[in-house]
C-alpha cells in the first residue's frame, strides 16, 4: 500500500540553525501539507501546497518557514532560524483530489528538537 | 478563527465498556473527518461525514454528524485494548474548496483489562 515517507525521523539542532525536513508524498496525490504537533497537544495546520504553489498557510507559518517541491517526488519544509518553540513533531500529509472531500494520508513524522 | 473542541480530553475505560467522544465546531462545517493517532504514531484517517444528520458505522465504531453540521460524535462499543489512542475530529476551514483541516483538541482513550 502506498504511503507517505518522511526523513529524518528525528532531527536535533541548535537554536538559530536552519533545518530541512523532507517528505515523499504518495505519487498520484496532488495536494501536500505540513502540520506540526507539540507533544501532547493537537495537530496544527502549517501550510498546504498545490500546483507548485502555496494554497494556504496558517499564522504559525511566518517568514522563517518555506516549502518547496524541488523535483517530482520530494516536498520539503525549511525552517531558516530555528527557535526553541519550534520543537515539535512535524507531519507531512498528502491527498488525492479536492482535499476537503478526501482523506489526508499522514507520514510517520519528523521529531524536531531545538536545543 | 474556527475552533474545534472535543470532550472529554481524556477517558480511561475497562475493556468491554463503551466510549464516546464529542466534537463541537464554532462554525458550520461542510464535512467532518475523524482520525486516530496511536501513542507515538501519526494520524490515520477513519471516516468522513458529509450530510447533515449522517450516521456511519465501522464495526464497533459509530460516527454521527449533527443536524446543524457543527458537531459530531464517535462512539465505540465494547472497547478493546487495540482502541487505545487519541481520536481527533477535523474539519475544513470554511467552504468545500478550503484546503486546510482544523483538528479538534482530541480525546485520549486508555483501555485497561
Amino acid at each position: 500500500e502506498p504511503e507517505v515517507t518522511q526523513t529524518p525521523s528525528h532531527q536535533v539542532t541548535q537554536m538559530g540553525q536552519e533545518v530541512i525536513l523532507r517528505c515523499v508524498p504518495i505519487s498520484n496525490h496532488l495536494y501536500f501539507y505540513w502540520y506540526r504537533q507539540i507533544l501532547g497537544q493537537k495537530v496544527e495546520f502549517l501550510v498546504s501546497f498545490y500546483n507548485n504553489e502555496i494554497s494556504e498557510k496558517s499564522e504559525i507559518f511566518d517568514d522563517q518557514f518555506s516549502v518547496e517541491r524541488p523535483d517530482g517526488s520530494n516536498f520539503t519544509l525549511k525552517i531558516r532560524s530555528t527557535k526553541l518553540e519550534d520543537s515539535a513533531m512535524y507531519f507531512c500529509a498528502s491527498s488525492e483530489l479536492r482535499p476537503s472531500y478526501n482523506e489526508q494520508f499522514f507520514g510517520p513524522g519528523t521529531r524536531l528538537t531545538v536545543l | 478563527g474556527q475552533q474545534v473542541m472535543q470532550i472529554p480530553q481524556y477517558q480511561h475505560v475497562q475493556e468491554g465498556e463503551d466510549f464516546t467522544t464529542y466534537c463541537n465546531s464554532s462554525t458550520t462545517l461542510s464535512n467532518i473527518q475523524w482520525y486516530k493517532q496511536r501513542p507515538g504514531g501519526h494520524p490515520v484517517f477513519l471516516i468522513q461525514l458529509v450530510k447533515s444528520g449522517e450516521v456511519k458505522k465501522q464495526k464497533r465504531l459509530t460516527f454521527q454528524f449533527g443536524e446543524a453540521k457543527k458537531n459530531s460524535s464517535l462512539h465505540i462499543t465494547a472497547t478493546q485494548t487495540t482502541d487505545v489512542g487519541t481520536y481527533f475530529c477535523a474539519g475544513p476551514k470554511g467552504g468545500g474548496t478550503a484546503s486546510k483541516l482544523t483538528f479538534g483538541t482530541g480525546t485520549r482513550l486508555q483501555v485497561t483489562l
Side-chain angles (χ1 to χ4, degrees):
Chain A
E1 186 175 326
E3 58 184 18
V4 177
T5 59
Q6 289 185 244
T7 53
S9 58
H10 190 191
Q11 174 92 47
V12 181
T13 189
Q14 295 290 325
M15 189 170 56
Q17 295 295 305
E18 174 183 287
V19 294
I20 297 176
L21 310 183
R22 291 183 166 79
C23 167
V24 179
I26 294 173
S27 62
N28 63 334
H29 285 187
L30 301 176
Y31 295 86
F32 314 119
Y33 315 84
W34 284 100
Y35 293 85
R36 79 171 186 190
Q37 185 178 35
I38 294 169
L39 185 64
Q41 297 187 22
K42 67 176 183 178
V43 179
E44 297 177 290
F45 170 82
L46 291 177
V47 66
S48 58
F49 192 86
Y50 170 69
N51 202 26
N52 283 318
E53 60 183 21
I54 290 175
S55 178
E56 191 164 356
K57 59 184 180 180
S58 73
E59 57 275 9
I60 302 169
F61 194 89
D62 61 22
D63 292 343
Q64 293 299 314
F65 291 86
S66 62
V67 289
E68 195 177 34
R69 188 156 165 80
D71 53 45
S73 59
N74 290 282
F75 180 51
T76 62
L77 173 69
K78 181 192 290 185
I79 309 175
R80 286 192 187 81
S81 178
T82 50
K83 308 183 191 73
L84 295 177
E85 54 265 35
D86 293 328
S87 294
M89 182 72 89
Y90 287 80
F91 292 108
C92 173
S94 67
S95 64
E96 187 174 3
L97 295 173
R98 283 178 67 196
S100 54
Y101 286 92
N102 274 280
E103 66 183 282
Q104 295 188 16
F105 291 80
F106 283 74
T110 293
R111 180 170 297 283
L112 176 65
T113 302
V114 182
L115 302 174
Chain B
Q2 180 188 48
Q3 292 190 19
V4 182
M5 305 296 291
Q6 285 181 251
I7 55 170
Q9 190 175 0
Y10 170 75
Q11 184 142 17
H12 183 178
V13 300
Q14 298 287 321
E15 190 177 49
E17 293 181 335
D18 292 356
F19 160 77
T20 304
T21 171
Y22 300 92
C23 170
N24 290 285
S25 170
S26 58
T27 59
T28 301
L29 301 168
S30 59
N31 69 83
I32 194 153
Q33 300 179 14
W34 283 91
Y35 289 78
K36 176 183 177 181
Q37 185 177 27
R38 293 184 187 275
H42 58 276
V44 175
F45 176 84
L46 294 176
I47 208 160
Q48 177 172 282
L49 304 170
V50 179
K51 299 176 186 173
S52 169
E54 187 171 11
V55 177
K56 285 189 177 180
K57 291 191 175 186
Q58 285 180 351
K59 296 182 181 178
R60 294 178 295 103
L61 278 60
T62 301
F63 303 84
Q64 187 166 8
F65 200 10
E67 293 291 338
K69 301 184 78 172
K70 293 183 73 174
N71 57 62
S72 180
S73 64
L74 158 59
H75 179 81
I76 302 178
T77 304
T79 53
Q80 300 174 357
T81 54
T82 52
D83 296 325
V84 165
T86 300
Y87 292 85
F88 292 99
C89 61
K93 184 184 98 172
T97 55
S99 59
K100 164 187 172 181
L101 274 182
T102 298
F103 276 76
T105 47
T107 295
R108 187 161 70 92
L109 172 64
Q110 179 63 35
V111 181
T112 52
L113 295 170

